[in-house]
Amino acid sequence: MDAVNLKKLASQLNLSVSTVSKAFRNSYDINPATRDRILALAKKLNYQPNPLASSLRTQKSRTIAVIIPDVANNFFALAINGIESIARAAGYHVLIYLTHEDLTQEIAFTRHLQSGRVDGIIMSLSSGDSGYEHLEELKHKGIPMVFFDRVYENADTARVTTNDHESGYIATKHLVERGCKKPVHITMAKNISIAIKRKQGYMDAMKDLLPGMSTTIIECGTDHEKNKEMIRQMLTGEQPDGIFSAFEKLAIQCYQCCEETGLRIPDDVKLISFSNLETASLLNPSLTTITQPAFAIGKKAAEILFHTMENKNAVIPNEHIILKSVLEERRSTGKTA
Amino acid sequence: MDAVNLKKLASQLNLSVSTVSKAFRNSYDINPATRDRILALAKKLNYQPNPLASSLRTQKSRTIAVIIPDVANNFFALAINGIESIARAAGYHVLIYLTHEDLTQEIAFTRHLQSGRVDGIIMSLSSGDSGYEHLEELKHKGIPMVFFDRVYENADTARVTTNDHESGYIATKHLVERGCKKPVHITMAKNISIAIKRKQGYMDAMKDLLPGMSTTIIECGTDHEKNKEMIRQMLTGEQPDGIFSAFEKLAIQCYQCCEETGLRIPDDVKLISFSNLETASLLNPSLTTITQPAFAIGKKAAEILFHTMENKNAVIPNEHIILKSVLEERRSTGKTA
DNA sequence: CTGTTAGCGCGTTCAG
DNA sequence: CTGAACGCGCTAACAG
């Protein structure tokens, strides 16, 4: 019924399989007339070359893998969009793997992907603790990789991030300029690259702008209830006048806890948070956001990956691209970089 | 360097390739002792069977494709999550294809996917106009398909949707109960299934609850500027006291236009919209939302697909699963189904 | 310009 | 219980 393949085309045209194959490879080694006959029949029968066979033969899958913690986060959704648009243009296919922040999964994926299923990998690390052997393994195998956002910093690999340290600094500065004297930083997954940078930005800004003031950092985990408990304690203890949240999810929990505690944002507490909901006007007007250019990050990561894949002989570049996040305050109208 | 394959394992153990192969297929046709030797070496060398070769041989790719308009929409992001979780559990890989609402792309994808690259397809239609031959083609080829959200209604295919007609009715009723006398419906992509149902819900509710009142429906397109122009005209003309938006994007534009026009939501105009931002507390408190259970939809679609794929001999079921959306008003605290 | 031959890596006969 | 041989569909050398 189905199975229209080279052999079938060949037999119907009284040609050899290899000649038919050449017609598609657009080889100069073929008579234009016969090529047209072949293409005509192929079109008529709706011939679709079997990519598995082709990949097996050429050892190129024309497929990349994207390994990310989660796609329910708008940041990653946009990043995928960027990646896909570049991949599409290059004629590549995109496999998607979600780790759900589980290092075990991440390891399983990277292991499996040594099988030749993909020509390259774009990934953002799960927040699971330590252990980078699986990444080294891949690197050793010579599979091109590009990291984005939550990057692997220990090795010389290509990576794309935002100016997280600077953004942390700016966010803190924003709070201080709005009159905050004891802004708190709330973060999670303390071992991932972006969390570290953002926190450092907060601490550096505090040192510069409020010298002598002690810093307060709430380190949340993956358990939402425990997180909220920590936030509650913070709010009921020495009440902060500003909160800089490193992750959108934590901002949500801050809202919830403030509501319980009766605190109003931004009248009692000013809240600024990383967030990638670009739907600005749907957002709560009391929230000031720092938005990463997620789409651009995805595109850039893909561009770098394809660049290294095309120039196979070239060294995989230890490139570190840094794009800028955008701070946006809703109450006023202005936008700041 | 790389290329640890059956042949290499076989030669290192002085066995034949086929024996080694059997060890992995867990054939009863093999000596447990030699099987253990094989598995041990495989583990040691980190052997990863080449899935391309395997798929070519078995004619099963253990891969599915997800074709959707866009992933920047939180609905689709969550749906992917659901799909991926089921696929992962079943040991399948997930390819992702974004049409960007472009029918040409959609056709190209479905054409290509007749090649044997995937065993099944989950898709949500692009809003491009008419023409379902490409879907019929796939169906004819016998590739299992499941549609979700924006489904293909003409054929007897499996599909998963929400109660869009009912939700449209409820949304309109919500406005009427809040005192609206002339609520307007704003929608787009008039030919896609969900838009039609939601609109019908609006019209039926108007007929029942405000008999005699004329309905007003703004049909937007893909051009944002033109859309805003239409919304502006609506707001400056016979001003509505309520807006029921069928799509999140349009709600955003309503906010923007209201701001320009000086209208306040919800004091001057009540706004209710379909939206899949589940981050309730980050949302503007003036927005009442209807949220689809996106994750559950994705899971359900995948479950159906795998069910039909496993029971190959079984007839592909013309199943239509309907899940329920949830209406949520932010000002008050209650939740309603 | 066309055809023959030989694999890519794996799974499945069928002999022994 | 093990091995030799074949083919999935396609591409790449090399002859003619």
Side-chain angles (χ1 to χ4, degrees), chain A residues 81-280:
Chain A
N81 253 3
I83 293 168
E84 207 268 355
S85 69
I86 298 292
R88 186 67 45 228
Y92 273 73
H93 298 254
V94 179
L95 279 167
I96 200 148
Y97 296 91
L98 307 181
T99 64
H100 301 286
E101 306 284 8
D102 179 358
L103 184 63
T104 314
Q105 285 274 12
E106 189 177 298
I107 293 175
F109 293 152
T110 51
R111 276 273 149 66
H112 171 83
L113 291 177
Q114 298 180 21
S115 62
R117 190 187 283 274
V118 299
D119 297 339
I121 301 176
I122 295 179
M123 75 187 289
S124 199
L125 298 183
S126 80
S127 58
D129 222 320
S130 69
Y132 298 112
E133 304 85 21
H134 57 301
L135 305 179
E136 291 295 348
E137 238 174 52
L138 273 179
K139 211 187 159 201
H140 188 69
K141 271 256 177 172
I143 298 179
M145 279 187 293
V146 178
F147 294 89
F148 73 101
D149 202 47
R150 305 161 165 210
V151 302
Y152 176 35
E153 305 220 281
N154 306 20
D156 12 310
T157 38
R159 50 192 191 271
V160 180
T161 67
T162 44
N163 56 341
D164 287 295
H165 178 276
E166 187 184 6
S167 296
Y169 194 102
I170 291 174
T172 311
K173 188 169 159 219
H174 174 90
L175 292 176
V176 173
E177 284 172 352
R178 298 296 174 288
C180 296
K181 295 292 179 205
K182 38 181 183 177
V184 162
H185 179 51
I186 177 166
T187 183
M188 66 194 292
K190 58 173 182 266
N191 54 322
I192 70 177
S193 56
I194 51 176
I196 295 170
K197 302 247 163 145
R198 291 169 189 180
K199 179 169 67 178
Q200 196 58 49
Y202 163 76
M203 297 205 298
D204 289 349
M206 288 295 281
K207 192 158 48 176
D208 292 354
L209 308 173
L210 293 175
M213 282 298 296
S214 69
T215 60
T216 310
I217 295 169
I218 315 284
E219 305 255 17
C220 293
T222 50
D223 182 338
H224 283 207
E225 281 317 311
K226 279 190 185 168
N227 293 349
K228 286 179 75 169
E229 186 49 37
M230 292 176 76
I231 297 173
R232 247 179 245 122
Q233 280 190 16
M234 166 193 77
L235 293 174
T236 51
E238 194 184 349
Q239 213 173 79
D241 50 11
I243 302 174
F244 161 37
S245 158
F247 296 96
E248 188 177 289
K249 277 187 187 164
L250 297 177
I252 296 172
Q253 297 180 353
C254 286
Y255 267 110
Q256 294 170 345
C257 289
C258 283
E259 202 165 316
E260 294 172 16
T261 325
L263 283 176
R264 286 162 311 164
I265 302 172
D267 297 329
D268 302 327
V269 186
K270 306 216 179 300
L271 180 60
I272 181 168
S273 176
F274 272 86
S275 167
N276 280 280
L277 298 177
E278 292 194 331
T279 51

Side-chain angles (χ1 to χ4, degrees), chain B residues 297-316:
Chain B
I297 293 175
K299 275 183 74 168
K300 197 73 199 175
E303 278 165 9
I304 295 176
L305 182 67
F306 286 116
H307 181 77
T308 78
M309 277 167 35
E310 311 278 290
N311 310 23
K312 195 72 182 196
N313 41 355
V315 188
I316 298 177

Side-chain angles (χ1 to χ4, degrees), chain B residues 74-76 78-80 82 276 278 291-299:
Chain B
N74 203 49
F75 171 76
F76 288 115
L78 290 168
I80 288 179
N276 280 280
E278 291 195 330
T291 304
Q292 299 175 280
F295 183 76
I297 293 175
K299 275 183 74 168

Side-chain angles (χ1 to χ4, degrees), chain A residues 5-6 18 21 47 50 53 57:
Chain A
N5 49 19
L6 286 187
S18 71
S21 173
Y47 165 67
N50 185 319
R57 184 60 239 258

